[in-house]
């Protein structure tokens, strides 16, 4: 400070800012704390959002992986089912008989449909009933069932028990414990030939219902195989059977005779051959007509077939001529059998329309291996020679090939022998 140009002194003013500083520092700390909290919250929010996004992505990946795994499992299961169905079809097409076919079906179905027990029925030749042929996975089959006792057969389509609110149990499924089941009619060439019955195992209802398509495909495979085996059997029968009498034809007779001779050569087992001819057959045709003659041939064929036992074979080799191959029959056995056949045919009565045809008689010739030959042609020729000898001696008798005492043989044969035969009517 100055006065009149003289410096008197100085005055200095001070302001106390301690409180202000403290307030500023406090506010700054609060601001920093708030900013730190906000940053932390932001970081937490970002972390949570990132975590949630990652979880969602992980779940999406897991779902996608599960879908792909299920798809892969479905594809593997489908590939396995296709492979098994292909193998089933290949094996079934290779089967030689229905018995062999049903054995294959039983073994394959335990793998194709492990969650189901099953059985197969096939129509009998009379088509009145279905015969039980096979079962698997603990299933059972009845010896015979009636077509009316199955809703699948009655309605002509697949019947699924347990798929509707109201169901009816098939008679062949009794006793029933409430488990769902399928009845698949087996069709071949538009004709029902059998029935595939499948029932769910305990606790496998859901898997059982989902297997319906596979079961349907299996039924189709089985139906085609049955049709092929039956067609093959029919073609084989047509090639070896005589269409009129149902006996084996000459072709089959020659093949069987060769096999029988080979067996006798290897084992020493006896073998005999019987030749049969219907006496005065031309008179039947000329007097009563060819239809009556056919009835006579069928009656004689039936009597000869009934007289066969075990591996014995009756054949019609042409016209009114027949032959019987008798393995394991000695010469004496064959002579006795020949006489029984002669008496059995003589006891047959054939009605044609409203009248009975005249009594049928046969002439019989017998040959024996190896006494009368070691080749099929030799045995057949010897039996034919004995047959014509019987005709020359008056017919309706038995002669043995190469016999040195024919009259003694005939007198022995005229002794009563218990005959087997029956009556035929039309």
């Amino acid at each position: 400070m100055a006065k009149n140009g003289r410096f008197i002194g100085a005055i200095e003013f001070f302001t106390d800012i301690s409180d202000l500083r403290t307030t500023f520092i406090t506010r700054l700390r609060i601001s920093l704390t708030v900013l730190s909290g906000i940053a932390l919250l932001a970081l937490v929010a970002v972390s949570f959002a990132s975590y949630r996004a990652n979880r969602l992505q992980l779940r999406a990946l897991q779902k996608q992986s599960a879908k792909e795994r299920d798809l892969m499992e479905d594809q593997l299961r489908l590939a396995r089912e296709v492979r098994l169905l292909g193998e089933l079809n290949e094996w079934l097409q290779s089967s030689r008989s229905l018995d062999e076919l049903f054995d294959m079906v039983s073994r394959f179905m335990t793998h194709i449909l492990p969650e189901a027990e099953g059985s197969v029925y096939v129509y009998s030749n009379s088509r009145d009933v279905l015969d039980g042929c096979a079962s698997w996975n603990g299933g059972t089959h009845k010896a015979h069932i009636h077509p009316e006792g199955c809703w699948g057969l009655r309605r002509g389509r697949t019947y699924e028990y347990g798929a509707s609110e109201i169901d009816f149990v098939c008679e062949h499924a009794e006793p029933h414990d409430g488990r769902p089941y399928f009845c698949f009619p087996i069709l071949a060439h538009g004709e029902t030939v059998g029935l595939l019955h499948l029932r769910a195992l305990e606790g496998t209802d859901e898997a059982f219902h989902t297997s319906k398509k596979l079961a349907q495909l299996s039924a189709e495979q089985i139906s085609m195989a049955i049709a092929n085996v039956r067609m093959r059997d029919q073609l084989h029968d047509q090639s070896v059977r005589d269409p009129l009498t149902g006996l084996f034809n000459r072709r089959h007779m020659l093949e069987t005779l060769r096999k029988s001779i080979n067996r006798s050569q290897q084992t020493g087992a006896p073998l005999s051959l019987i030749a049969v001819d219907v006496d005065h057959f031309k008179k039947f045709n000329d007097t009563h007509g060819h239809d009556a003659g056919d009835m006579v041939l069928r009656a004689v064929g039936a009597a000869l077939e009934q007289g066969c036992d075990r591996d014995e074979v009756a054949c019609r080799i042409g016209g009114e001529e027949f032959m019987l191959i008798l393995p394991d029959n000695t010469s004496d056995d064959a002579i006795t059998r020949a006489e029984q056949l002669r008496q059995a045919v003589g006891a047959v009565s054939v009605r044609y329309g409203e009248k009975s045809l005249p009594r049928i008689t046969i002439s019989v010739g017998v040959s024996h291996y190896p006494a009368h030959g070691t080749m099929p042609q030799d045995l057949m020729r010897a039996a034919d020679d004995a047959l014509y000898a019987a005709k020359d001696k008056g017919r309706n008798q038995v002669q043995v090939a190469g016999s040195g005492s024919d009259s003694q043989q005939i007198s022995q044969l005229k002794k009563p022998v218990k005959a087997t035969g029956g009556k035929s009517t039309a």
Side-chain angles (χ1 to χ4, degrees):
M1 176 182 294
K3 186 177 179 183
N4 298 321
R6 254 180 95 181
F7 180 77
I8 297 174
I11 298 175
E12 186 175 1
F13 295 94
F14 293 94
T15 303
D16 188 0
I17 62 172
S18 298
D19 292 338
L20 182 61
R21 179 176 177 274
T22 302
T23 301
F24 175 76
I25 291 173
T26 300
R27 290 179 178 179
L28 180 60
R29 286 177 178 173
I30 292 173
S31 299
L32 291 175
T33 302
V34 171
L35 291 175
S36 298
I38 292 173
L40 182 60
L41 288 176
L43 180 61
V44 171
V46 170
S47 299
F48 179 76
S50 176
Y51 172 76
R52 188 168 184 180
N54 290 336
R55 285 295 302 271
L56 292 175
Q57 187 177 7
L58 179 60
R59 288 180 182 176
L61 290 174
Q62 288 176 340
K63 288 182 179 180
Q64 183 66 24
S65 177
K67 288 182 179 179
E68 292 178 354
R69 185 169 58 252
D70 292 341
L71 180 60
M72 181 65 69
E73 290 177 355
D74 290 341
Q75 290 177 345
L76 290 175
R77 183 173 62 251
L78 179 61
R80 176 178 178 272
E81 292 171 354
V82 170
R83 176 177 57 82
L84 286 174
L85 286 174
E87 293 178 358
L88 173 63
N89 179 60
E90 183 179 352
W91 280 104
L92 293 183
Q93 298 305 321
S94 302
S95 60
R96 295 175 296 179
S97 65
L98 287 178
D99 291 337
E100 188 177 51
L101 183 147
F102 292 130
D103 181 61
M104 293 177 180
V105 168
S106 299
R107 297 182 63 180
F108 267 92
M109 292 301 286
T110 57
H111 295 277
I112 295 176
L113 296 171
E115 68 280 348
E117 63 182 43
S119 54
V120 174
Y121 295 87
V122 174
Y123 270 103
S124 63
N125 292 331
S126 63
R127 296 194 65 80
D128 295 330
V129 297
L130 290 91
D131 301 327
C133 299
S135 55
W136 56 88
N137 274 1
T140 59
H141 61 271
K142 300 179 181 179
H144 307 286
I145 65 173
H146 292 278
E148 296 82 7
C150 176
W151 290 108
L153 294 176
R154 288 175 66 174
R155 301 198 299 177
R157 56 187 175 89
T158 300
Y159 176 63
E160 181 177 358
Y161 179 89
S164 302
E165 184 175 351
I166 300 176
D167 289 308
F168 297 94
V169 180
C170 299
E171 290 181 7
H172 65 85
E174 296 287 2
H176 187 59
D177 54 7
R179 287 180 290 165
Y181 67 80
F182 298 131
C183 287
F184 295 100
I186 299 177
L187 305 176
H189 305 302
E191 178 185 6
T192 303
V193 298
L195 172 69
L196 174 63
H197 175 70
L198 299 172
R199 182 180 298 186
L201 295 177
E202 199 69 37
T204 63
D205 293 5
E206 184 177 354
F208 179 76
H209 285 295
T210 59
S211 67
K212 181 177 180 180
K213 182 62 177 177
L214 179 59
Q216 181 71 54
L217 293 174
S218 300
E220 292 174 1
Q221 296 280 16
I222 295 171
S223 66
M224 289 188 294
I226 292 176
N228 288 339
V229 171
R230 285 191 163 179
M231 184 177 297
R232 196 157 56 233
D233 290 344
Q234 290 175 358
L235 292 175
H236 180 263
D237 282 345
Q238 290 176 2
S239 66
V240 301
R241 293 279 186 179
D242 170 55
L244 178 62
T245 62
L247 301 180
F248 290 107
N249 57 20
R250 184 184 185 91
R251 171 186 173 185
H252 183 78
M253 187 270 297
L254 289 171
E255 181 180 351
T256 303
L257 185 56
R258 290 191 188 96
K259 292 179 180 178
S260 299
I261 290 175
N262 290 335
R263 173 176 174 271
S264 296
Q265 289 175 344
Q266 295 173 2
T267 64
L271 172 65
S272 297
L273 187 65
I274 294 179
V276 176
D277 188 90
V278 180
D279 296 331
H280 304 296
F281 180 72
K282 188 174 183 301
K283 288 185 178 180
F284 280 100
N285 282 334
D286 294 343
T287 305
H288 305 284
H290 290 284
D291 289 341
D294 290 344
M295 293 181 61
V296 169
L297 293 177
R298 282 194 289 266
V300 172
L304 298 183
E305 189 171 28
Q306 290 175 3
C308 290
D309 190 18
R310 299 186 305 277
D311 296 331
E312 299 169 355
V313 177
C315 311
R316 180 190 177 202
I317 60 175
E320 67 272 22
E321 297 181 8
F322 301 83
M323 277 196 173
L324 281 79
I325 302 174
L326 306 179
D328 301 317
N329 277 252
T330 64
S331 179
D332 291 340
D333 292 337
I335 293 171
T336 302
R337 294 290 300 282
E339 178 61 16
Q340 289 176 341
L341 291 173
R342 186 190 67 82
Q343 294 185 17
V345 172
V348 171
S349 175
V350 179
R351 290 188 60 84
Y352 179 63
E354 298 180 354
K355 61 181 180 180
S356 296
L357 296 178
R359 176 170 174 259
I360 306 171
T361 62
I362 57 174
S363 298
V364 185
V366 180
S367 63
H368 184 69
Y369 172 88
H372 303 122
T374 57
M375 298 293 291
Q377 294 81 359
D378 298 334
L379 286 176
M380 292 173 62
R381 187 181 305 109
D384 280 336
D385 291 342
L387 171 64
Y388 287 115
K391 285 184 170 294
D392 292 340
K393 294 179 179 293
R395 295 183 172 85
N396 192 23
Q397 58 182 278
V398 177
Q399 287 290 317
V400 180
S403 174
S405 54
D406 291 344
S407 59
Q408 182 180 0
Q409 291 280 359
I410 295 171
S411 63
Q412 290 175 351
L413 293 173
K414 288 185 178 180
K415 295 179 180 179
V417 179
K418 185 178 180 180
T420 58
K423 294 186 178 181
S424 173
T425 60

